[in-house]
Amino acid sequence: MKKLFSLVLALSMALALTACGGSADTDSTTTDDTTETTAKPVELYVFAAASMQESLDQVIEAYKAVAPEVAVVATYDSSGTLKTQIQEGADCDVFISAAPKQMNQLDAEGGEENTEGLDLVDSATRLDLLENKVTLAVPEGNPKGIESFDQLAELLASGDVFLAMGNSDVPVGQYTQKIFTYYGLNEETLASSGVLTYGSNVKEVTTQVSEGTVDCGVIYATDAFSAGLTVVDEATAEMCGQVIYPAAVMKNSANPDAAKAFLDFLSTDEAMACFEAVGFSPMV
């Protein structure tokens, strides 16, 4: 019985150490100096797409129990703005973009979209973390009676609707542009006819819809959920492509090991539960 208890205790300690980023091989006689080194406070800077704010805040809160010595400082904005800030030297340990394009622009292995020859991403850590959906959302009561993207295209062509969308450097705006192309609509013509208004990130677009200053807006499913907006239609992959959120550690990270540990945590069941609760889907 004594041997069985010792075995169970040993296994429990190994699991606890593994969950906190430690090693199951750590000697139980670890000195106080080693403990102090392990527990040294670390500040991680995470740049994430604005559409992740509600869910990632929850994940960061949950991470405190896993790595209490790590303080995660999150900055949320459009992926284009965050990409520019990283390029200009902002402190960033982990970047999560709302589209592959902005990550590719920073990644030496980003293919044709790496037009500036930047090499700021630790490509070995990069992963496709989440999938979102592009939706057509309406204000409370849906005063314009909009029911679908098909109907929206007709209303845009006739000038009988006021649509909020993201700027061209914002992923949600780029997805909207693809939807225009799908329906044979010219954005420049639409803009000149006064049927479009813009937001510098998806939160600004969402706010316009929430406040009823527009008839509808093209936003992510997660933002519509968080804002309590009604979604009347969802864009297909044929219309705008798959909405993938890549994540990676940056090469200039001051704490690469801690950054990798946090990135690993984002794929755990606990973190995914937070993401899925607002409408994200895990990449499979």
Side-chain angles (χ1 to χ4, degrees), residues 212-283:
T213 58
V214 294
D215 298 318
C216 56
V218 178
I219 61 177
Y220 298 121
T222 53
D223 292 282
F225 176 87
S226 297
L229 292 172
T230 298
V231 169
V232 296
D233 201 2
E234 185 178 283
T236 64
E238 183 183 6
M239 293 165 65
C240 66
Q242 194 175 10
V243 185
I244 297 172
Y245 283 54
V249 173
M250 297 294 100
K251 280 192 172 181
N252 68 346
S253 172
N255 298 284
D257 290 339
K260 290 173 185 175
F262 178 70
L263 186 61
D264 288 342
F265 181 74
L266 297 181
S267 296
T268 64
D269 290 343
E270 184 176 4
M272 280 298 165
C274 297
F275 293 133
E276 291 182 69
V278 300
F280 281 112
S281 300
M283 292 296 297

Side-chain angles (χ1 to χ4, degrees), residues 29 85 89-90 108 113 128 145 149 162 175 190 195 208 216 234 247 279:
T29 60
Q85 291 175 354
E113 291 181 320
D128 289 338
F149 276 110
F162 194 32
Y175 291 124
L190 295 175
V195 298
Q208 292 180 59
C216 56
E234 185 178 283

Side-chain angles (χ1 to χ4, degrees), residues 41-123:
V42 172
E43 202 164 58
L44 281 184
Y45 296 97
V46 176
F47 282 21
S51 50
M52 297 190 69
Q53 185 166 354
E54 292 82 7
S55 56
L56 188 57
D57 277 349
Q58 293 180 27
V59 172
I60 291 170
E61 186 64 28
Y63 194 60
K64 292 178 181 178
V66 176
E69 76 283 2
V70 178
V72 180
V73 180
T75 297
Y76 301 103
D77 210 323
S78 74
S79 300
T81 296
L82 296 175
K83 173 261 177 186
T84 298
Q85 291 175 354
I86 293 170
Q87 183 177 349
E88 292 176 348
D91 290 333
C92 176
D93 297 290
V94 176
F95 179 39
I96 313 174
S97 173
K101 179 179 180 179
Q102 287 72 27
M103 187 71 77
N104 288 339
Q105 290 173 330
L106 298 172
D107 189 352
E109 297 182 15
E112 294 180 356
E113 291 181 320
N114 183 247
T115 57
E116 300 170 87
L118 299 174
D119 186 13
L120 302 178
V121 174
D122 182 351
S123 304

